[in-house]
Amino acid sequence: MATANKNLSEYTGKNLVNISDKKFAVIVSEWNEKVTEALFEGAKSTLLKEGATAENIIRKNVPGSFELTLGAQWMAQREEIDAVICLGCVIQGETRHFEFICQTVALGITEVGLKFNKPVIFGVLTPDNEQQALDRAGGKHGNKGDEAAITAIKMLGF
Ligand code: DLZ
C-alpha cells in the first residue's frame, strides 16, 4: 500500500529493458470496476509508454479477484506470454471475505509465477474504503496499475 502522500507512479523509466517484442497478459477483476478500469488504464498506458505494442497487450476479464489466479494460470501457461499482470480491488470495509480473498490470491499468484517461471504481478489493491482505492488508481497516490506494469518490466530485465 502507498505511503501517505507518496505518488507511486513517479518512475523515471531509466534502465528498463526493451519490451518492444514482449507480450503481456493483463487480467482485470470486474469487482469494484471503477477502480480496476483505472488500474488497467494505468498499466496499459505505462506499457505503451515504455515501448510495448498495443497488439502485445492482451486483456482478459475475470468476475472477481478470487478468479485472478486461474486467469493468470491460463495466460501464464501460454508460451508466447512473457509476463502476466493481475489487477483487482478488495475493499476491507465492504466484504467479510477480505482476508480470505486477499491471502488466497496473493499465494495463488505467487505459485503461478513459480510454476511457469515468469513474472506474474500482484496488482491488487486492499484498501479500507473506496476513496483509498481511488487515491491509488489515478488519484493522489498515483496508480497501482502503473506500478504493476513497471514491476513486470523490471522483472523481465532481471
Ligand atoms: C464476493 C466478493 C466480495 C464480497 N467482495 C469482493 C471484492 O471486494 N473485490 C473482489 O475483487 N471480489 C469480491 N468478491 C468476489 C470474489 O472475488 C469472487 O469473484 C467470488 O467469491 C466468486 O468466486
Side-chain angles (χ1 to χ4, degrees), residues 25 27 62 67-79 81 84 86 108-109 111-113 115-116 118 120:
I27 323 274
V62 290
E67 285 72 38
L68 285 169
T69 305
L70 186 55
Q73 175 158 297
W74 285 338
M75 296 312 284
Q77 72 186 1
R78 291 197 193 177
E79 219 165 280
I81 297 293
V84 180
C86 300
I109 287 174
E111 279 176 15
V112 174
K115 180 174 171 188
F116 292 100
K118 53 180 80 170
V120 179

Side-chain angles (χ1 to χ4, degrees), residues 29 31-32 63-67 89-91 94-95 97 101:
S29 162
W31 263 78
N32 300 311
S65 291
F66 189 80
E67 285 72 38
C89 173
V90 192
I91 298 178
E94 291 177 12
T95 173
H97 292 58
I101 293 175

Side-chain angles (χ1 to χ4, degrees), residues 9 11 16 19 39-52 57 143 145-151 153:
S9 300
Y11 293 98
L16 292 179
I19 57 165
L39 295 177
F40 174 72
E41 288 310 318
K44 183 180 165 193
S45 67
T46 297
L47 292 173
L48 292 172
K49 196 173 72 190
E50 297 299 333
I57 302 172
N143 191 321
D146 298 349
E147 186 191 2
I150 293 288
T151 305
I153 299 169

